Structure formats: structure tokens, C-alpha cells
Amino acid sequence: MDRCTKPIAAKDAKYPHLFPAFPGCDSGVGLFTTFTFADRNCREVPDRELSRAASLPGELAVSAVVDAYMDEIEAIAEDNRVDVIVVARPDDLNDVNLPSSKNGITTNFHDLLKARALPLGKPLQIMRRSTWDETAPPPPNRSRQDEATRAWNVHVALYYKAGGVPWRLQRSSTDLSTCYVGISFYRSGGTDTLDTAVAHIFNELGDGVIVRGGTAHVSKEDRQPHLIGADARQLLLNALTVYKREHRTLPARVVVHKSSRFTSDEKDGFNAAADERDLHALDLVWITSSENALLFRPGSAPPLRGTFMSLSKYEHLIYTRGSVDFYSTYPGMYVPRPLGLRTAQLSVSPRELGVETLALSKMNWNQSRLDGRSPITLQTADQVKQILRFCNPERDIATRYAQYM
């Protein structure tokens, strides 16, 4: 962190926008902010606790290490003098190749620690030694980013977790105030067959809140989890209640994203909630990972990021990954595939929906690159549900998204 107060050179002058230099972290450059550390806010996990945990097998070792870390994290959080707690991950903890338990859940340090820390109300930034130590190898099957990119990614994440807004959605003064809700499902550690719904809610600034919903049921038609109408209604009502509590107002328009189709029961439930809250507009969009369609353009480069096409009145596709003129290259390793946008209910034009989806794919503050594949509403799904599976389903959860990322 001290080294990052000074500029860090770019990786490659050939692609200055793809691998930009880090300008340093200070009040006059970069994110125009500084980090303040104090000895009283720094604590060490005792070596004897780590050694004792290392002697235990598998999941017991992970749990014991998390217990040791939580003792120190709780002591820092109790003083309430910090915005974010930076955690140096234990170097020798092997939680990568642990076998799954009988309900298919694999315990790892990152997810279990974040789940245990949710009640504290303080976001964690967990860092591996390979992030700051050039001599330390990265995790298996992962490559190390250049130092400037690592600095950008860490500082953007810390800035957001501390309450800053690194960037926001563009919107016209004539646009309706909009709330974006992603619906996903997860299986908690205490159940074998039941899926719980969770809503990921964002406004134009990227302020995110998380709301847990009712139990989902797997449909015999598509083998995907779905909500009954009453639970769909209650989930959206809860989401709007939390949104109003956080932002002091209700949105005029709500856009609901799912990675599975909307059943008629779900549509009725979501619309019932919209009617009760007197929303001006409610859009329901099923986002697929691919429409089994590819587009081509002259030459050998993939389609431009942002390429949009309508396949029918209710089926559209958009390339959220692809060639980027600003980067002067296609930054991916594989042939990009478009996202499918299947509309169950829409108040704007398909083209406007495509523009909005593309913008939402840039709202990932875990990295500084602006070419994410999924919109933030669904991008958060895996992060959040990996942590919620370790939470007691009977207890309230933290609502601030920054605590999950």
C-alpha cells in the first residue's frame, strides 16, 4: 500500500488504455484519496493459532483459521474507526482442492470469513501474498496481472467499499429514476434440496443492497428454480422497502433480471408488487448466456463490444465482450459469445434495453476493466450466494453489497 502512493509504470506501451499506468494513490492524483493507517487498527493473528489449525484436516483447518482471524477482526470492528478491513490471507492454507461435503458445498477461507464477518457491518478486502509480493506464486491455474493493473483493481475495490463511487451510469435528465434488480437462487449449507431466492438491487450510482427471499421450487418443465406468485410479490416488495430505506425514495421504474425464464406466476407476483408500490414501469428480462447465434464482421477481429441485433420481437442479443476500439484490441482469449435478452415485459425499446445492459456490464468494482460480460445485477449472483450458503437461513443478513464483494 505504501508503494502504491507513487506511480507504477504501465505494462505495455502498445496498449496504454488496456494496461494503464497507475498514477499513485494520493489526494492529488488517481482516485484523489488517501489511506490512513494507525497501529491501534492493525492486529496480527498469533502464530500458535495458525500452527494449531495447520495440524487439522480439511474443512476443520479452514474453520479454525477463520475463528482465529475473526477474533482479531472483531476487535478492530468494535472500535468503529475503520471503513474497510484489509485481511492478509494465510499463506499456507490449502483450501483450493478440498472435497465437497454431502450437500455439494466446499468450504473455503474467503467465503466463510466473509459470511462470518457480515454482522460486523465492515467490508473486508482479502488479499493474497502474490498481490503485493512479486516472489510469491499466484494461485494454481491463475496468472499474475501486471503490478499497475493489480494496484488499480485493489484501489477501485477499496474506494467503493469505503463508500466512494468510482464511476456511475450515464443518464439523461429526462430518464426515469430506475432500480435494477437481479434475481438468483442459492442452496444454503443446512439444506439438501431447497433453493432460496436472493435479490441484488442497484441504482444508477451503483449503490447495491442484497435481500433474501422465499424458497424456490424446481420446475418440471425447465429444471430451473422458480418462485410461486406470492413469494415473487414479497421478494420485490422487500427489495423496494430496502431500496427506499437506503435511498429515501422509490424508483419510478424497476428492471428485473433473471438467468431463467419468467413463469406466468412470477410475472403476476412481480406485477402485483409493482401495483402496490404504484411503480410507473416494470420491465422483466431473461438474460441468457448465449442465443446459439454468432455475428461476424469483415476481417479476423471479433464483433465490436456493443454490437446489438434483434432476432424477433421478444429475442435480442448483445455483445458485452468483443473488440474495443479504446483498447485497440480484443482483450479476451476465446471467441466471444453474445448475451441473449429475452423480454417478458418491456417499457422501453429493445435498443434502449441493449444500451442499458451494456452499461450495467461496466459496473463491476472488483476490477478496473470496463468490459465485463454480465450486468452487475447478475454478476453479483455468484459472489453473494457463495457467501450466503454459510449463513443461517433463519437470521437476518447484511444488506450492503460491499460486504459481499
Side-chain angles (χ1 to χ4, degrees), residues 4 62 83 103 113 126 186 235 238 303 341 370 384 398:
C4 289
V62 177
D83 298 304
N103 54 11
L113 183 67
I126 300 175
Y186 73 97
L235 180 60
N238 292 346
L341 306 177
L370 301 179
V384 172

Side-chain angles (χ1 to χ4, degrees), residues 334-357:
Y334 306 101
V335 176
R337 301 190 70 87
L339 292 182
L341 306 177
R342 300 190 182 186
T343 58
Q345 189 169 300
L346 195 62
S347 65
V348 298
S349 70
R351 180 179 177 83
E352 288 176 286
L353 173 65
V355 170
E356 186 173 71
T357 305

Side-chain angles (χ1 to χ4, degrees), residues 315-382:
E315 294 179 274
H316 319 276
L317 61 81
I318 185 166
Y319 275 82
T320 52
R321 299 299 308 275
S323 299
V324 180
D325 280 344
F326 183 69
Y327 292 154
S328 301
T329 187
Y330 164 54
M333 297 179 62
Y334 306 101
V335 176
R337 301 190 70 87
L339 292 182
L341 306 177
R342 300 190 182 186
T343 58
Q345 189 169 300
L346 195 62
S347 65
V348 298
S349 70
R351 180 179 177 83
E352 288 176 286
L353 173 65
V355 170
E356 186 173 71
T357 305
L358 187 69
L360 289 169
S361 72
K362 297 183 179 184
M363 304 296 283
N364 177 13
W365 302 279
N366 257 334
Q367 63 173 22
S368 55
R369 282 263 296 273
L370 301 179
D371 63 335
R373 186 166 195 266
S374 300
I376 188 65
T377 47
L378 297 182
Q379 174 74 32
T380 63
D382 283 339

Side-chain angles (χ1 to χ4, degrees), residues 43-56 64-65 68 71-72:
R43 299 181 68 93
E44 292 185 13
V45 178
D47 285 340
R48 65 179 181 278
E49 295 291 341
L50 296 178
S51 298
R52 184 180 68 83
S55 66
L56 298 173
V65 171
D71 288 342
E72 310 306 327

Side-chain angles (χ1 to χ4, degrees), residues 85-141:
I85 299 175
V86 180
V87 177
R89 190 187 189 282
D91 297 334
D92 301 323
L93 180 64
N94 181 17
D95 60 347
V96 177
N97 298 312
L98 290 180
S100 300
S101 59
K102 64 179 181 179
N103 54 11
I105 291 181
T106 302
T107 302
N108 68 73
F109 175 80
H110 177 279
D111 298 342
L112 184 58
L113 183 67
K114 290 212 168 186
R116 292 277 305 278
L118 288 180
L120 302 180
K122 301 292 183 182
L124 306 184
Q125 179 69 32
I126 300 175
M127 296 175 62
R128 292 179 179 272
R129 177 171 291 277
S130 56
T131 300
W132 74 83
D133 184 352
E134 299 292 334
T135 66
N141 303 317

